[in-house]
Amino acid sequence: MKPLGIILSVLGGAVAGAAIGLLFAPEKGKDTREKIAQLLREKGVQLKGKKMDELIDQISTELEEK
């Protein structure tokens, strides 16, 4: 596997793990979504407005289904 692929895999796993932890925390959905958005920005995900909202919705939906 290429080094960039490994780095992206680790980063993706870290983001997913943090998102799962936040989603299962006993907080309001709005607060949780804001934390996910903040975490993604801290990890270097640079999406604007609607694209960031779509990614957060997708993460939330996939985690709720599992």
Side-chain angles (χ1 to χ4, degrees), residues 4-64:
L4 181 59
I6 293 171
I7 292 170
L8 292 175
S9 296
V10 170
L11 181 61
V15 170
I20 289 170
L22 287 173
L23 287 175
F24 286 104
E27 293 184 8
K28 293 181 182 178
K30 180 181 176 187
D31 294 338
T32 302
R33 288 174 179 272
E34 288 175 6
K35 285 185 176 184
I36 292 172
Q38 179 182 359
L39 177 69
L40 291 173
R41 287 186 195 101
E42 288 174 1
K43 296 296 180 183
V45 177
Q46 297 181 2
L47 300 173
K48 296 193 181 191
K50 189 175 181 179
K51 291 289 185 186
M52 181 67 84
D53 291 340
E54 289 173 1
L55 178 58
I56 293 169
D57 288 342
Q58 182 181 1
I59 291 171
S60 298
T61 301
E62 289 188 23
L63 292 173
E64 289 173 0

